[in-house]
Amino acid sequence: MFDKVLIANRGEIALRILRACRDLGIKTVAVYSKADESAKHVRLADQAICIGEGPAKESYLKIPNLLAAAEISGAQAIHPGYGFLSENEAFAQMVAEHDIQFIGPDAEHIRIMGDKIIAKKTVKELGIPVVPGSEGALVEVEDAVKMAEKIGYPVLIKAAAGGGGKGMQVARNTTQLREVFPIARQEAEANFGVPDVFMEKYLERPRHIEIQVLADHHGNVVHLGERDCSIQRRHQKVWEEAPSPAVTMAQREELGEIVTKACRGMGYKGAGTFEFLYEDGKFYFIEMNTRIQVEHPVTELISGIDLVAEQIRVAQGHKLSFSQKDITLKGHAIECRINAEDPETFAPSPGKVNVYHAPGGPGVRVDSALYAGYSIPPYYDSMVAKLIVHGNDRDHCLRRLRRALSEFVIGDIKTTLPLHRELSMDPDMVKGEYSIHWLEKWIKAKKSSS
Ligand code: MV4
């Protein structure tokens, strides 16, 4: 049905989408900035169109340039990948208005999930458990104080237009709340142009667990289990795994049923992720992502399902070729995000990759657009490779991970490979005992002991 798909992204995900298209017999159109002339996705695509200068605002984020590239090339669909325009309602809408298929949900669902207050209200009404808190936006500080007394301290003030942790403020008592409430509103306005904030009970030591869903255009929805993404630094995920060491089969099945029912209830289409905080055996929805995520491969390795190919298939109007009972999650998978950064200071370290040796062998997958001789441009995200490893169980997976990490060579730039080698040997990580705060504490402890 699609003869040609335009890939509105760069780096490893552009390559990942290109590979899914090839497997489906679909031609690809790459777009690229002037800083990406020698990028691998440009070299491998059937066709490539330059859409502007290095900075993303002048290329990958320029909607008219992308629409023009789609028109010129005759692509019938656009895959947005993650980041950039992937969760931009206006882009999804304009693509549809140009009679091009957006490979993702309807603009309507992007809009709903983009506003954290509306998202929470929507999913709560569909039966998903949410964090206790304010129903709508809080405007007056006195209303915030009353709400905090109702739900109990500590509380967290979040921006409605936020996500990714920007503009959050914790308050442990009324004095603190009166102090941080106006700051939260100012920051929300400054960061997102909308001052709306809401309140939630602050969970002290949760895990971050997300559930992958896949929905076709005919009301069929499946879930593919969870990913544990608790290992993060400054809201950037560092290590993700599936299944979560903390989730039982019964919990997985129950939550899976709840989220798939919610998807059917709202007519959701495509791939999606429900994000939860997990504490003391209970799940609390926080956000929904309406895109393919960086960490999707861990789910692919335990389910055997090609999520990107399925995104494209359902966008073509095909029915899901499997139902929930056909899905069995097998073994364990871990993903390490390898960034071009100093492993101690996390300062970005772009530059020329003179040496590149990727690991291989049973259970090892590397998603990366790197090659020997490539120069990493300074304009974009510092993630340069994902190492994803699969094993029969978590211990087997960890042994394969250590094997793969020991083979991986990326030189002469600095990368976070040494950090991952340490993490893969850490006793807490080996036990799977960690919360969203574990990595930041570990980094701090390491610094003070050196
Ligand atoms: C929370 C929370 C504790 N309690 N909500 C941060 C990003 C945004 N998506 C939601 N976030 C959080 N919401 C309540 N009620 C703690 C966080 C949080 C966090 C969540 C997931 C992954 C990493 C995090 C790091 C710091 C704080």
Side-chain angles (χ1 to χ4, degrees):
M1 288 239 305
F2 298 156
D3 162 65
K4 210 186 247 191
V5 167
L6 182 137
I7 302 164
N9 215 299
R10 65 178 303 283
E12 69 85 19
I13 195 64
L15 213 48
R16 171 72 189 84
I17 298 161
L18 184 148
R19 287 168 173 154
C21 289
R22 287 272 155 83
D23 288 355
L24 292 166
I26 297 169
K27 292 199 272 295
T28 54
V29 183
V31 293
Y32 64 98
S33 74
K34 280 190 180 162
D36 275 340
E37 278 167 353
S38 50
K40 197 159 168 178
H41 76 283
V42 175
R43 295 193 184 183
L44 289 183
D46 295 297
Q47 197 177 340
I49 300 175
C50 183
I51 53 165
E53 300 297 318
K57 276 211 165 93
E58 295 167 38
S59 48
Y60 299 105
L61 291 170
K62 269 218 152 139
I63 297 176
N65 298 20
L66 289 157
L67 293 174
E71 293 289 347
I72 290 163
S73 61
Q76 296 100 359
I78 297 181
H79 196 307
Y82 53 68
F84 295 128
L85 295 168
S86 61
E87 289 175 296
N88 185 306
E89 178 203 351
F91 181 57
Q93 188 61 43
M94 279 188 250
V95 169
E97 281 165 7
H98 282 71
D99 286 318
I100 300 165
Q101 182 65 44
F102 181 76
I103 302 176
D106 294 340
E108 168 76 359
H109 291 119
I110 297 177
R111 180 184 63 74
I112 291 170
M113 298 308 165
D115 183 311
K116 308 307 160 194
I117 295 174
I118 297 172
K120 210 175 153 185
K121 183 171 188 290
T122 303
V123 307
K124 189 182 175 193
E125 283 169 2
L126 290 163
I128 296 181
V130 301
V131 190
S134 61
E135 297 270 311
L138 288 167
V139 178
E140 302 298 334
V141 67
E142 290 314 317
D143 292 332
V145 169
K146 274 183 213 147
M147 179 59 61
E149 268 154 25
K150 211 174 106 188
I151 64 179
Y153 287 97
V155 296
L156 188 61
I157 309 295
K158 293 181 172 181
K166 246 192 184 172
M168 298 196 316
Q169 297 281 345
V170 184
R172 297 190 175 276
N173 52 54
T174 313
T175 313
Q176 282 182 3
L177 180 56
R178 288 185 197 282
E179 199 178 296
V180 302
F181 186 78
I183 298 172
R185 279 180 55 86
Q186 280 162 24
E187 283 189 4
E189 169 87 69
N191 281 312
F192 313 110
V194 188
D196 287 359
V197 296
F198 64 107
M199 182 185 289
E200 282 183 351
K201 175 89 186 169
Y202 178 63
L203 305 178
E204 300 270 10
R205 242 179 108 257
R207 297 177 83 110
H208 180 213
I209 290 170
E210 56 186 33
I211 306 196
Q212 179 72 55
V213 294
L214 192 56
D216 67 17
H217 293 203
H218 307 275
N220 303 301
V221 188
V222 297
H223 76 88
L224 298 168
E226 80 285 358
R227 296 183 285 260
D228 196 319
C229 307
S230 303
I231 298 299
Q232 57 86 38
R233 179 185 167 271
R234 296 193 182 171
H235 302 292
Q236 295 293 319
K237 292 166 188 165
V238 169
W239 158 307
E240 304 99 342
E241 58 183 298
S244 167
V247 176
T248 66
M249 194 57 177
Q251 285 175 317
R252 177 172 308 117
E253 283 175 0
E254 189 192 341
L255 212 54
E257 215 157 291
I258 291 171
V259 299
T260 51
K261 189 166 160 250
C263 284
R264 282 186 283 270
M266 60 179 148
Y268 189 81
K269 302 181 190 89
T273 306
F274 289 86
E275 292 190 353
F276 292 87
L277 296 179
Y278 174 77
E279 194 172 77
D280 298 331
K282 291 190 287 288
F283 291 90
Y284 307 90
F285 170 91
I286 47 169
E287 290 174 24
M288 183 179 190
N289 301 316
T290 56
R291 60 173 190 276
I292 191 75
Q293 288 193 268
V294 174
E295 60 272 25
H296 76 276
V298 293
T299 301
E300 295 188 320
L301 293 190
I302 64 162
S303 68
I305 290 168
D306 182 330
L307 280 166
V308 179
E310 291 302 328
Q311 279 190 297
I312 298 167
R313 286 189 69 260
V314 299
Q316 287 175 300
H318 292 303
K319 285 186 178 169
L320 288 178
S321 59
F322 44 83
S323 62
Q324 194 66 53
K325 65 171 174 13
D326 302 319
I327 297 164
T328 42
L329 304 178
K330 207 170 144 266
H332 197 94
I334 296 173
E335 172 176 279
C336 295
R337 293 194 192 190
I338 297 149
N339 295 349
E341 290 172 358
D342 182 307
E344 311 268 339
T345 66
F346 300 96
S349 169
K352 192 164 175 202
V353 177
N354 290 314
V355 193
Y356 184 72
H357 294 289
V364 174
R365 165 172 166 184
V366 176
D367 280 16
S368 174
L370 289 186
Y371 58 86
Y374 176 65
S375 283
I376 299 164
Y379 300 107
Y380 314 106
D381 194 273
S382 66
M383 191 185 75
V384 293
K386 304 189 303 202
L387 168 62
I388 316 104
V389 175
H390 185 247
N392 299 332
D393 54 38
R394 195 168 184 275
D395 284 337
H396 188 224
C397 185
L398 278 168
R399 289 196 299 274
R400 282 182 162 173
L401 177 63
R402 290 182 208 113
R403 182 244 295 168
L405 284 166
S406 74
E407 290 178 24
F408 214 154
V409 184
I410 304 174
D412 304 315
I413 58 159
K414 288 178 185 168
T415 75
T416 52
L417 273 167
L419 171 79
H420 286 294
R421 290 188 188 114
E422 283 194 59
L423 289 179
S424 71
M425 315 261 270
D426 182 276
D428 286 345
M429 292 299 287
V430 170
K431 280 182 279 185
E433 284 171 12
Y434 53 76
S435 78
I436 59 170
H437 305 299
W438 188 91
L439 181 60
E440 283 170 353
K441 277 190 199 145
W442 182 86
I443 292 166
K444 222 181 199 173
K446 203 171 81 151
K447 257 195 215 137
S448 65
S449 74
S450 72

